[in-house]
Amino acid sequence: MEITPNMTPEQYVDQLVQEDEALRSIREAIVKEGMPEVSVAHPYGKLLTFLIEVSGAQHVLEIGALGGYSGLCLARGLGEKGRIVSLELKEAYAALAHRHMENNGYGDRVEYRIGPAADSLKELQEEGRTFDFFFIDADKENYPVYLEYAIALANPGAIIAGDNCFLRGRTLNTDKNGPAVQAVRRFNETIATDPRLVSTLLPAYDGLALARVK
């Protein structure tokens, strides 16, 4: 590995933590389909796999499927009985995600629910569903709503991860105060201070919030 002058920590990690062919092909398919290029950074994807595996999570809730990149990262950490419920607004996105999960041997491990995530979360609550792990990576204006549902649907000790906590710098920019920015700021503040949680915020890439429900 070559270390170059002025290399950032992210560039250093990108060289060390390589993205494998399966994940790379999903990222390329997302670009080809004209979908937003907002999948989780690949080192954080590997962190999701790691956290699922070490926590022994069996019931996982993903909020925001996109093209299946994070879904594959989550599935790779599951034990034999592990299952994922994935919430996605757009049917075409969920179809692409499911195809990628099937191609990698996890098609029978994931259930997709299509429509506004808040509606699906309400349905899950009414069904009495609970989860061991949550990954939030969807529309930012509803991040505080998703966090409250995650806490309500959490088994004791469940882990919550939320991506894009910096919104590519907008969260830290006092000139940016749109609805999404304000919502993510509230999300970050709640993650950091809520007495129901033990938490931290990782500052690399676009920020990843991590919390454990007490």
Short mmCIF file of all heavy atoms in Angstrom, two decimals, residues 129-197:
data_model
loop_
_atom_site.label_atom_id
_atom_site.label_comp_id
_atom_site.label_asym_id
_atom_site.label_seq_id
_atom_site.Cartn_x
_atom_site.Cartn_y
_atom_site.Cartn_z
N ARG A 129 -43.96 -6.65 16.49
CA ARG A 129 -42.63 -7.06 16.07
C ARG A 129 -41.56 -6.32 16.88
O ARG A 129 -41.73 -5.14 17.23
CB ARG A 129 -42.42 -6.77 14.58
CG ARG A 129 -43.39 -7.48 13.66
CD ARG A 129 -43.09 -8.95 13.53
NE ARG A 129 -41.83 -9.20 12.86
CZ ARG A 129 -41.71 -9.29 11.53
NH1 ARG A 129 -42.77 -9.13 10.74
NH2 ARG A 129 -40.53 -9.54 10.98
N THR A 130 -40.48 -6.99 17.16
CA THR A 130 -39.33 -6.38 17.83
C THR A 130 -38.06 -6.82 17.12
O THR A 130 -38.03 -7.84 16.43
CB THR A 130 -39.26 -6.76 19.31
OG1 THR A 130 -39.18 -8.19 19.42
CG2 THR A 130 -40.47 -6.24 20.07
N PHE A 131 -36.98 -6.02 17.32
CA PHE A 131 -35.76 -6.24 16.57
C PHE A 131 -34.53 -6.07 17.46
O PHE A 131 -34.57 -5.39 18.47
CB PHE A 131 -35.69 -5.27 15.39
CG PHE A 131 -36.82 -5.45 14.41
CD1 PHE A 131 -38.02 -4.76 14.58
CD2 PHE A 131 -36.70 -6.33 13.34
CE1 PHE A 131 -39.08 -4.95 13.70
CE2 PHE A 131 -37.75 -6.52 12.45
CZ PHE A 131 -38.94 -5.82 12.63
N ASP A 132 -33.44 -6.70 16.99
CA ASP A 132 -32.16 -6.65 17.71
C ASP A 132 -31.20 -5.62 17.12
O ASP A 132 -30.22 -5.25 17.78
CB ASP A 132 -31.46 -8.02 17.64
CG ASP A 132 -32.36 -9.15 18.08
OD1 ASP A 132 -32.98 -9.02 19.15
OD2 ASP A 132 -32.44 -10.16 17.34
N PHE A 133 -31.46 -5.19 15.88
CA PHE A 133 -30.54 -4.30 15.19
C PHE A 133 -31.33 -3.46 14.21
O PHE A 133 -32.20 -3.97 13.50
CB PHE A 133 -29.46 -5.10 14.44
CG PHE A 133 -28.27 -4.29 14.00
CD1 PHE A 133 -27.10 -4.32 14.73
CD2 PHE A 133 -28.33 -3.49 12.88
CE1 PHE A 133 -26.00 -3.58 14.33
CE2 PHE A 133 -27.24 -2.75 12.47
CZ PHE A 133 -26.07 -2.78 13.20
N PHE A 134 -30.99 -2.16 14.15
CA PHE A 134 -31.65 -1.22 13.25
C PHE A 134 -30.59 -0.48 12.45
O PHE A 134 -29.60 0.00 13.01
CB PHE A 134 -32.47 -0.19 14.03
CG PHE A 134 -33.53 -0.78 14.92
CD1 PHE A 134 -33.20 -1.26 16.18
CD2 PHE A 134 -34.85 -0.85 14.51
CE1 PHE A 134 -34.17 -1.81 17.01
CE2 PHE A 134 -35.83 -1.39 15.33
CZ PHE A 134 -35.49 -1.88 16.59
N PHE A 135 -30.82 -0.35 11.15
CA PHE A 135 -29.97 0.49 10.33
C PHE A 135 -30.85 1.52 9.64
O PHE A 135 -31.74 1.18 8.85
CB PHE A 135 -29.18 -0.30 9.30
CG PHE A 135 -28.28 0.56 8.46
CD1 PHE A 135 -27.36 1.41 9.06
CD2 PHE A 135 -28.35 0.54 7.08
CE1 PHE A 135 -26.53 2.23 8.30
CE2 PHE A 135 -27.52 1.34 6.30
CZ PHE A 135 -26.61 2.19 6.92
N ILE A 136 -30.60 2.79 9.95
CA ILE A 136 -31.41 3.90 9.43
C ILE A 136 -30.61 4.62 8.37
O ILE A 136 -29.55 5.19 8.64
CB ILE A 136 -31.80 4.87 10.57
CG1 ILE A 136 -32.56 4.13 11.67
CG2 ILE A 136 -32.63 6.03 10.02
CD1 ILE A 136 -32.80 4.98 12.92
N ASP A 137 -31.12 4.59 7.14
CA ASP A 137 -30.44 5.26 6.03
C ASP A 137 -31.48 5.59 4.95
O ASP A 137 -31.45 5.05 3.84
CB ASP A 137 -29.33 4.38 5.46
CG ASP A 137 -28.43 5.12 4.48
OD1 ASP A 137 -28.54 6.36 4.40
OD2 ASP A 137 -27.63 4.48 3.79
N ALA A 138 -32.40 6.47 5.29
CA ALA A 138 -33.50 6.81 4.40
C ALA A 138 -33.66 8.33 4.36
O ALA A 138 -32.69 9.06 4.56
CB ALA A 138 -34.77 6.10 4.85
N ASP A 139 -34.88 8.81 4.09
CA ASP A 139 -35.12 10.26 4.01
C ASP A 139 -34.78 10.92 5.34
O ASP A 139 -35.23 10.48 6.40
CB ASP A 139 -36.56 10.54 3.61
CG ASP A 139 -37.56 9.89 4.56
OD1 ASP A 139 -37.52 8.65 4.70
OD2 ASP A 139 -38.36 10.62 5.17
N LYS A 140 -33.99 11.94 5.27
CA LYS A 140 -33.40 12.53 6.49
C LYS A 140 -34.41 13.31 7.33
O LYS A 140 -34.25 13.41 8.55
CB LYS A 140 -32.22 13.43 6.12
CG LYS A 140 -31.19 12.78 5.20
CD LYS A 140 -30.75 11.42 5.67
CE LYS A 140 -29.84 10.74 4.66
NZ LYS A 140 -29.58 9.33 4.98
N GLU A 141 -35.44 13.85 6.71
CA GLU A 141 -36.41 14.65 7.47
C GLU A 141 -37.13 13.81 8.52
O GLU A 141 -37.65 14.35 9.50
CB GLU A 141 -37.41 15.31 6.53
CG GLU A 141 -36.80 16.39 5.66
CD GLU A 141 -37.82 17.12 4.81
OE1 GLU A 141 -39.00 17.20 5.23
OE2 GLU A 141 -37.45 17.61 3.73
N ASN A 142 -37.18 12.50 8.31
CA ASN A 142 -37.89 11.64 9.25
C ASN A 142 -36.95 10.88 10.19
O ASN A 142 -37.40 9.98 10.91
CB ASN A 142 -38.76 10.64 8.48
CG ASN A 142 -40.07 11.26 8.04
OD1 ASN A 142 -40.78 11.88 8.84
ND2 ASN A 142 -40.40 11.10 6.77
N TYR A 143 -35.69 11.23 10.20
CA TYR A 143 -34.76 10.53 11.10
C TYR A 143 -35.22 10.54 12.56
O TYR A 143 -35.14 9.50 13.23
CB TYR A 143 -33.36 11.14 10.97
CG TYR A 143 -32.42 10.35 10.07
CD1 TYR A 143 -32.87 9.78 8.88
CD2 TYR A 143 -31.07 10.18 10.39
CE1 TYR A 143 -32.02 9.06 8.06
CE2 TYR A 143 -30.21 9.47 9.56
CZ TYR A 143 -30.69 8.90 8.41
OH TYR A 143 -29.84 8.18 7.60
N PRO A 144 -35.69 11.65 13.12
CA PRO A 144 -36.15 11.61 14.51
C PRO A 144 -37.33 10.66 14.71
O PRO A 144 -37.43 9.99 15.74
CB PRO A 144 -36.54 13.07 14.79
CG PRO A 144 -35.70 13.88 13.85
CD PRO A 144 -35.66 13.05 12.60
N VAL A 145 -38.22 10.60 13.71
CA VAL A 145 -39.35 9.67 13.78
C VAL A 145 -38.86 8.24 13.77
O VAL A 145 -39.30 7.40 14.57
CB VAL A 145 -40.31 9.92 12.59
CG1 VAL A 145 -41.42 8.87 12.57
CG2 VAL A 145 -40.89 11.32 12.65
N TYR A 146 -37.92 7.94 12.89
CA TYR A 146 -37.39 6.58 12.79
C TYR A 146 -36.67 6.17 14.07
O TYR A 146 -36.74 5.01 14.49
CB TYR A 146 -36.44 6.47 11.59
CG TYR A 146 -37.09 6.78 10.26
CD1 TYR A 146 -36.33 7.24 9.18
CD2 TYR A 146 -38.47 6.64 10.07
CE1 TYR A 146 -36.92 7.52 7.96
CE2 TYR A 146 -39.06 6.94 8.85
CZ TYR A 146 -38.29 7.38 7.80
OH TYR A 146 -38.86 7.66 6.59
N LEU A 147 -35.98 7.11 14.67
CA LEU A 147 -35.27 6.80 15.91
C LEU A 147 -36.25 6.43 17.02
O LEU A 147 -36.03 5.46 17.76
CB LEU A 147 -34.40 7.98 16.33
CG LEU A 147 -33.63 7.80 17.65
CD1 LEU A 147 -32.71 6.60 17.58
CD2 LEU A 147 -32.82 9.06 17.97
N GLU A 148 -37.34 7.18 17.14
CA GLU A 148 -38.32 6.88 18.18
C GLU A 148 -38.95 5.52 17.95
O GLU A 148 -39.16 4.75 18.90
CB GLU A 148 -39.40 7.98 18.23
CG GLU A 148 -38.93 9.26 18.89
CD GLU A 148 -38.47 9.05 20.33
OE1 GLU A 148 -39.11 8.26 21.07
OE2 GLU A 148 -37.46 9.66 20.71
N TYR A 149 -39.25 5.20 16.71
CA TYR A 149 -39.80 3.88 16.42
C TYR A 149 -38.78 2.79 16.73
O TYR A 149 -39.13 1.72 17.26
CB TYR A 149 -40.24 3.79 14.96
CG TYR A 149 -41.69 4.17 14.73
CD1 TYR A 149 -42.02 5.31 14.02
CD2 TYR A 149 -42.73 3.37 15.21
CE1 TYR A 149 -43.35 5.67 13.80
CE2 TYR A 149 -44.06 3.71 15.00
CZ TYR A 149 -44.36 4.85 14.28
OH TYR A 149 -45.68 5.18 14.06
N ALA A 150 -37.53 3.04 16.40
CA ALA A 150 -36.49 2.04 16.68
C ALA A 150 -36.41 1.74 18.17
O ALA A 150 -36.34 0.57 18.58
CB ALA A 150 -35.14 2.52 16.15
N ILE A 151 -36.45 2.78 18.97
CA ILE A 151 -36.39 2.57 20.43
C ILE A 151 -37.63 1.79 20.89
O ILE A 151 -37.53 0.89 21.73
CB ILE A 151 -36.27 3.92 21.15
CG1 ILE A 151 -34.93 4.59 20.81
CG2 ILE A 151 -36.41 3.74 22.66
CD1 ILE A 151 -34.80 6.02 21.29
N ALA A 152 -38.79 2.13 20.32
CA ALA A 152 -40.03 1.45 20.71
C ALA A 152 -40.05 -0.01 20.28
O ALA A 152 -40.63 -0.86 20.97
CB ALA A 152 -41.23 2.18 20.11
N LEU A 153 -39.42 -0.32 19.16
CA LEU A 153 -39.43 -1.68 18.61
C LEU A 153 -38.22 -2.50 19.05
O LEU A 153 -38.06 -3.65 18.62
CB LEU A 153 -39.46 -1.63 17.08
CG LEU A 153 -40.71 -1.01 16.44
CD1 LEU A 153 -40.49 -0.83 14.94
CD2 LEU A 153 -41.93 -1.87 16.70
N ALA A 154 -37.37 -1.93 19.88
CA ALA A 154 -36.10 -2.57 20.23
C ALA A 154 -36.26 -3.62 21.32
O ALA A 154 -36.96 -3.41 22.32
CB ALA A 154 -35.11 -1.53 20.69
N ASN A 155 -35.59 -4.74 21.11
CA ASN A 155 -35.37 -5.68 22.21
C ASN A 155 -34.31 -5.07 23.13
O ASN A 155 -33.49 -4.26 22.68
CB ASN A 155 -34.88 -7.02 21.67
CG ASN A 155 -35.98 -7.75 20.91
OD1 ASN A 155 -37.14 -7.75 21.33
ND2 ASN A 155 -35.62 -8.39 19.81
N PRO A 156 -34.28 -5.45 24.40
CA PRO A 156 -33.25 -4.91 25.30
C PRO A 156 -31.85 -5.17 24.74
O PRO A 156 -31.54 -6.28 24.31
CB PRO A 156 -33.48 -5.68 26.60
CG PRO A 156 -34.94 -6.05 26.56
CD PRO A 156 -35.23 -6.33 25.11
N GLY A 157 -31.04 -4.12 24.72
CA GLY A 157 -29.69 -4.25 24.21
C GLY A 157 -29.55 -4.11 22.71
O GLY A 157 -28.45 -4.25 22.17
N ALA A 158 -30.65 -3.82 22.03
CA ALA A 158 -30.60 -3.67 20.58
C ALA A 158 -29.68 -2.53 20.17
O ALA A 158 -29.52 -1.54 20.89
CB ALA A 158 -32.00 -3.42 20.02
N ILE A 159 -29.10 -2.67 18.99
CA ILE A 159 -28.19 -1.65 18.45
C ILE A 159 -28.90 -0.87 17.36
O ILE A 159 -29.61 -1.44 16.53
CB ILE A 159 -26.92 -2.30 17.89
CG1 ILE A 159 -26.12 -2.95 19.02
CG2 ILE A 159 -26.05 -1.27 17.16
CD1 ILE A 159 -24.94 -3.76 18.55
N ILE A 160 -28.71 0.45 17.37
CA ILE A 160 -29.24 1.34 16.35
C ILE A 160 -28.07 2.02 15.66
O ILE A 160 -27.20 2.59 16.33
CB ILE A 160 -30.17 2.42 16.94
CG1 ILE A 160 -31.35 1.76 17.67
CG2 ILE A 160 -30.67 3.37 15.85
CD1 ILE A 160 -32.18 2.75 18.48
N ALA A 161 -28.03 1.96 14.34
CA ALA A 161 -27.01 2.66 13.55
C ALA A 161 -27.71 3.60 12.58
O ALA A 161 -28.69 3.23 11.95
CB ALA A 161 -26.13 1.67 12.78
N GLY A 162 -27.22 4.83 12.49
CA GLY A 162 -27.80 5.81 11.58
C GLY A 162 -26.72 6.45 10.72
O GLY A 162 -25.74 6.99 11.26
N ASP A 163 -26.89 6.39 9.41
CA ASP A 163 -25.86 6.89 8.48
C ASP A 163 -26.13 8.35 8.09
O ASP A 163 -27.22 8.87 8.25
CB ASP A 163 -25.83 6.01 7.23
CG ASP A 163 -24.54 6.18 6.43
OD1 ASP A 163 -23.52 6.61 7.01
OD2 ASP A 163 -24.54 5.87 5.23
N ASN A 164 -25.09 8.98 7.54
CA ASN A 164 -25.16 10.36 6.98
C ASN A 164 -25.50 11.41 8.02
O ASN A 164 -26.26 12.34 7.76
CB ASN A 164 -26.18 10.43 5.84
CG ASN A 164 -25.91 9.43 4.75
OD1 ASN A 164 -26.77 8.59 4.45
ND2 ASN A 164 -24.74 9.48 4.14
N CYS A 165 -24.88 11.31 9.19
CA CYS A 165 -25.17 12.26 10.25
C CYS A 165 -24.58 13.64 10.01
O CYS A 165 -24.90 14.59 10.73
CB CYS A 165 -24.65 11.71 11.58
SG CYS A 165 -25.53 10.23 12.09
N PHE A 166 -23.71 13.77 9.01
CA PHE A 166 -23.13 15.07 8.69
C PHE A 166 -23.72 15.68 7.43
O PHE A 166 -23.45 16.84 7.12
CB PHE A 166 -21.61 14.96 8.52
CG PHE A 166 -20.89 14.53 9.78
CD1 PHE A 166 -19.69 13.85 9.70
CD2 PHE A 166 -21.42 14.80 11.03
CE1 PHE A 166 -19.02 13.44 10.86
CE2 PHE A 166 -20.76 14.40 12.19
CZ PHE A 166 -19.56 13.73 12.10
N LEU A 167 -24.50 14.91 6.67
CA LEU A 167 -25.12 15.41 5.44
C LEU A 167 -24.12 16.12 4.55
O LEU A 167 -24.37 17.22 4.05
CB LEU A 167 -26.30 16.33 5.77
CG LEU A 167 -27.55 15.66 6.36
CD1 LEU A 167 -28.58 16.71 6.73
CD2 LEU A 167 -28.11 14.63 5.42
N ARG A 168 -22.96 15.49 4.38
CA ARG A 168 -21.90 16.03 3.54
C ARG A 168 -21.53 17.47 3.93
O ARG A 168 -21.29 18.33 3.09
CB ARG A 168 -22.29 15.95 2.06
CG ARG A 168 -22.54 14.51 1.62
CD ARG A 168 -22.80 14.38 0.15
NE ARG A 168 -23.01 12.96 -0.20
CZ ARG A 168 -23.21 12.52 -1.43
NH1 ARG A 168 -23.23 13.37 -2.44
NH2 ARG A 168 -23.40 11.24 -1.66
N GLY A 169 -21.51 17.69 5.24
CA GLY A 169 -21.08 18.98 5.77
C GLY A 169 -22.20 19.92 6.12
O GLY A 169 -21.97 20.90 6.86
N ARG A 170 -23.39 19.69 5.66
CA ARG A 170 -24.48 20.63 5.92
C ARG A 170 -24.88 20.67 7.39
O ARG A 170 -25.28 21.72 7.89
CB ARG A 170 -25.70 20.26 5.06
CG ARG A 170 -25.55 20.62 3.59
CD ARG A 170 -26.80 20.31 2.82
NE ARG A 170 -27.02 18.87 2.71
CZ ARG A 170 -28.21 18.30 2.56
NH1 ARG A 170 -29.31 19.04 2.54
NH2 ARG A 170 -28.30 16.98 2.45
N THR A 171 -24.77 19.54 8.09
CA THR A 171 -25.12 19.52 9.50
C THR A 171 -24.27 20.51 10.30
O THR A 171 -24.74 21.11 11.28
CB THR A 171 -24.93 18.11 10.08
OG1 THR A 171 -25.70 17.19 9.31
CG2 THR A 171 -25.37 18.03 11.53
N LEU A 172 -23.03 20.70 9.86
CA LEU A 172 -22.09 21.57 10.59
C LEU A 172 -22.07 23.00 10.05
O LEU A 172 -21.34 23.84 10.59
CB LEU A 172 -20.68 20.98 10.48
CG LEU A 172 -20.53 19.50 10.82
CD1 LEU A 172 -19.10 19.05 10.62
CD2 LEU A 172 -20.99 19.23 12.23
N ASN A 173 -22.84 23.26 9.02
CA ASN A 173 -22.84 24.57 8.37
C ASN A 173 -23.99 25.41 8.91
O ASN A 173 -25.17 25.10 8.68
CB ASN A 173 -22.97 24.39 6.85
CG ASN A 173 -22.79 25.69 6.08
OD1 ASN A 173 -22.95 26.78 6.64
ND2 ASN A 173 -22.48 25.58 4.81
N THR A 174 -23.65 26.49 9.62
CA THR A 174 -24.69 27.32 10.24
C THR A 174 -25.56 28.03 9.21
O THR A 174 -26.64 28.53 9.55
CB THR A 174 -24.06 28.36 11.17
OG1 THR A 174 -23.10 29.14 10.44
CG2 THR A 174 -23.36 27.68 12.35
N ASP A 175 -25.10 28.09 7.97
CA ASP A 175 -25.91 28.71 6.91
C ASP A 175 -26.95 27.75 6.35
O ASP A 175 -27.81 28.16 5.55
CB ASP A 175 -25.01 29.20 5.77
CG ASP A 175 -24.11 30.35 6.18
OD1 ASP A 175 -24.52 31.13 7.06
OD2 ASP A 175 -22.99 30.44 5.65
N LYS A 176 -26.86 26.48 6.72
CA LYS A 176 -27.79 25.47 6.23
C LYS A 176 -28.78 25.12 7.34
O LYS A 176 -28.39 24.58 8.37
CB LYS A 176 -27.05 24.21 5.78
CG LYS A 176 -25.99 24.46 4.70
CD LYS A 176 -26.63 24.88 3.38
CE LYS A 176 -25.58 25.03 2.29
NZ LYS A 176 -26.18 25.46 1.00
N ASN A 177 -30.05 25.42 7.10
CA ASN A 177 -31.04 25.18 8.13
C ASN A 177 -32.36 24.66 7.56
O ASN A 177 -33.43 24.93 8.11
CB ASN A 177 -31.30 26.47 8.93
CG ASN A 177 -30.10 26.89 9.76
OD1 ASN A 177 -29.77 26.24 10.75
ND2 ASN A 177 -29.44 27.95 9.35
N GLY A 178 -32.27 23.91 6.48
CA GLY A 178 -33.45 23.32 5.89
C GLY A 178 -34.02 22.22 6.76
O GLY A 178 -33.42 21.80 7.75
N PRO A 179 -35.20 21.71 6.39
CA PRO A 179 -35.86 20.68 7.20
C PRO A 179 -35.01 19.44 7.43
O PRO A 179 -34.98 18.90 8.55
CB PRO A 179 -37.12 20.35 6.40
CG PRO A 179 -37.38 21.56 5.57
CD PRO A 179 -36.03 22.13 5.25
N ALA A 180 -34.32 18.96 6.40
CA ALA A 180 -33.50 17.76 6.55
C ALA A 180 -32.34 18.01 7.51
O ALA A 180 -32.03 17.17 8.35
CB ALA A 180 -32.98 17.29 5.19
N VAL A 181 -31.70 19.17 7.38
CA VAL A 181 -30.57 19.50 8.25
C VAL A 181 -31.03 19.59 9.70
O VAL A 181 -30.40 19.03 10.61
CB VAL A 181 -29.92 20.81 7.80
CG1 VAL A 181 -28.85 21.25 8.79
CG2 VAL A 181 -29.31 20.66 6.40
N GLN A 182 -32.13 20.28 9.93
CA GLN A 182 -32.63 20.42 11.30
C GLN A 182 -33.03 19.07 11.88
O GLN A 182 -32.79 18.79 13.06
CB GLN A 182 -33.81 21.38 11.32
CG GLN A 182 -33.44 22.82 10.98
CD GLN A 182 -34.59 23.78 11.17
OE1 GLN A 182 -35.28 23.74 12.18
NE2 GLN A 182 -34.81 24.65 10.20
N ALA A 183 -33.62 18.21 11.04
CA ALA A 183 -34.03 16.89 11.53
C ALA A 183 -32.82 16.04 11.91
O ALA A 183 -32.83 15.36 12.95
CB ALA A 183 -34.85 16.18 10.45
N VAL A 184 -31.77 16.07 11.10
CA VAL A 184 -30.59 15.28 11.42
C VAL A 184 -29.89 15.83 12.65
O VAL A 184 -29.36 15.06 13.48
CB VAL A 184 -29.64 15.22 10.20
CG1 VAL A 184 -28.30 14.60 10.59
CG2 VAL A 184 -30.28 14.41 9.08
N ARG A 185 -29.89 17.15 12.82
CA ARG A 185 -29.32 17.71 14.05
C ARG A 185 -30.08 17.21 15.27
O ARG A 185 -29.47 16.85 16.29
CB ARG A 185 -29.34 19.24 13.98
CG ARG A 185 -28.30 19.84 13.04
CD ARG A 185 -28.49 21.33 12.91
NE ARG A 185 -27.50 21.90 11.98
CZ ARG A 185 -27.69 23.04 11.31
NH1 ARG A 185 -28.81 23.73 11.48
NH2 ARG A 185 -26.75 23.48 10.49
N ARG A 186 -31.42 17.18 15.19
CA ARG A 186 -32.21 16.66 16.31
C ARG A 186 -31.91 15.19 16.55
O ARG A 186 -31.80 14.74 17.70
CB ARG A 186 -33.71 16.85 16.05
CG ARG A 186 -34.18 18.30 16.09
CD ARG A 186 -35.69 18.38 16.24
NE ARG A 186 -36.41 17.66 15.19
CZ ARG A 186 -36.70 18.16 14.00
NH1 ARG A 186 -36.34 19.41 13.69
NH2 ARG A 186 -37.37 17.45 13.13
N PHE A 187 -31.79 14.44 15.47
CA PHE A 187 -31.45 13.02 15.57
C PHE A 187 -30.11 12.84 16.29
O PHE A 187 -29.99 12.04 17.22
CB PHE A 187 -31.40 12.42 14.17
CG PHE A 187 -30.89 11.02 14.10
CD1 PHE A 187 -31.76 9.94 14.28
CD2 PHE A 187 -29.56 10.75 13.82
CE1 PHE A 187 -31.29 8.63 14.20
CE2 PHE A 187 -29.08 9.44 13.74
CZ PHE A 187 -29.96 8.39 13.94
N ASN A 188 -29.10 13.58 15.85
CA ASN A 188 -27.77 13.47 16.47
C ASN A 188 -27.81 13.84 17.94
O ASN A 188 -27.19 13.17 18.78
CB ASN A 188 -26.78 14.38 15.74
CG ASN A 188 -26.49 13.92 14.32
OD1 ASN A 188 -26.76 12.78 13.96
ND2 ASN A 188 -25.94 14.81 13.51
N GLU A 189 -28.53 14.91 18.26
CA GLU A 189 -28.62 15.35 19.66
C GLU A 189 -29.34 14.31 20.52
O GLU A 189 -28.94 14.05 21.66
CB GLU A 189 -29.33 16.70 19.73
CG GLU A 189 -28.49 17.85 19.16
CD GLU A 189 -29.31 19.11 18.91
OE1 GLU A 189 -30.51 19.13 19.30
OE2 GLU A 189 -28.76 20.06 18.31
N THR A 190 -30.38 13.71 19.99
CA THR A 190 -31.10 12.68 20.74
C THR A 190 -30.23 11.45 20.95
O THR A 190 -30.16 10.90 22.06
CB THR A 190 -32.40 12.29 20.00
OG1 THR A 190 -33.19 13.46 19.80
CG2 THR A 190 -33.19 11.28 20.81
N ILE A 191 -29.56 11.02 19.89
CA ILE A 191 -28.65 9.88 20.01
C ILE A 191 -27.63 10.14 21.13
O ILE A 191 -27.31 9.25 21.93
CB ILE A 191 -27.92 9.63 18.67
CG1 ILE A 191 -28.83 8.92 17.67
CG2 ILE A 191 -26.63 8.84 18.88
CD1 ILE A 191 -28.96 7.43 17.85
N ALA A 192 -27.13 11.36 21.18
CA ALA A 192 -26.04 11.68 22.11
C ALA A 192 -26.52 11.84 23.55
O ALA A 192 -25.73 11.60 24.48
CB ALA A 192 -25.34 12.95 21.66
N THR A 193 -27.78 12.22 23.76
CA THR A 193 -28.20 12.63 25.10
C THR A 193 -29.35 11.82 25.69
O THR A 193 -29.61 11.93 26.90
CB THR A 193 -28.62 14.12 25.09
OG1 THR A 193 -29.75 14.28 24.22
CG2 THR A 193 -27.48 15.01 24.61
N ASP A 194 -30.04 11.04 24.90
CA ASP A 194 -31.22 10.35 25.41
C ASP A 194 -30.83 9.32 26.47
O ASP A 194 -29.98 8.46 26.22
CB ASP A 194 -31.95 9.65 24.26
CG ASP A 194 -33.35 9.24 24.63
OD1 ASP A 194 -33.50 8.37 25.53
OD2 ASP A 194 -34.31 9.77 24.05
N PRO A 195 -31.45 9.37 27.65
CA PRO A 195 -31.07 8.45 28.73
C PRO A 195 -31.44 7.00 28.44
O PRO A 195 -30.97 6.10 29.15
CB PRO A 195 -31.84 8.98 29.94
CG PRO A 195 -32.99 9.76 29.36
CD PRO A 195 -32.48 10.34 28.09
N ARG A 196 -32.23 6.76 27.41
CA ARG A 196 -32.58 5.38 27.05
C ARG A 196 -31.47 4.70 26.27
O ARG A 196 -31.54 3.49 26.02
CB ARG A 196 -33.87 5.38 26.22
CG ARG A 196 -35.10 5.89 26.96
CD ARG A 196 -36.27 6.07 26.00
NE ARG A 196 -36.02 7.15 25.04
CZ ARG A 196 -36.88 7.51 24.07
NH1 ARG A 196 -38.02 6.83 23.94
NH2 ARG A 196 -36.59 8.50 23.26
N LEU A 197 -30.46 5.47 25.88
CA LEU A 197 -29.43 4.97 24.97
C LEU A 197 -28.03 5.11 25.55
O LEU A 197 -27.77 6.03 26.34
CB LEU A 197 -29.48 5.75 23.65
CG LEU A 197 -30.82 5.79 22.90
CD1 LEU A 197 -30.73 6.75 21.72
CD2 LEU A 197 -31.22 4.40 22.45
#
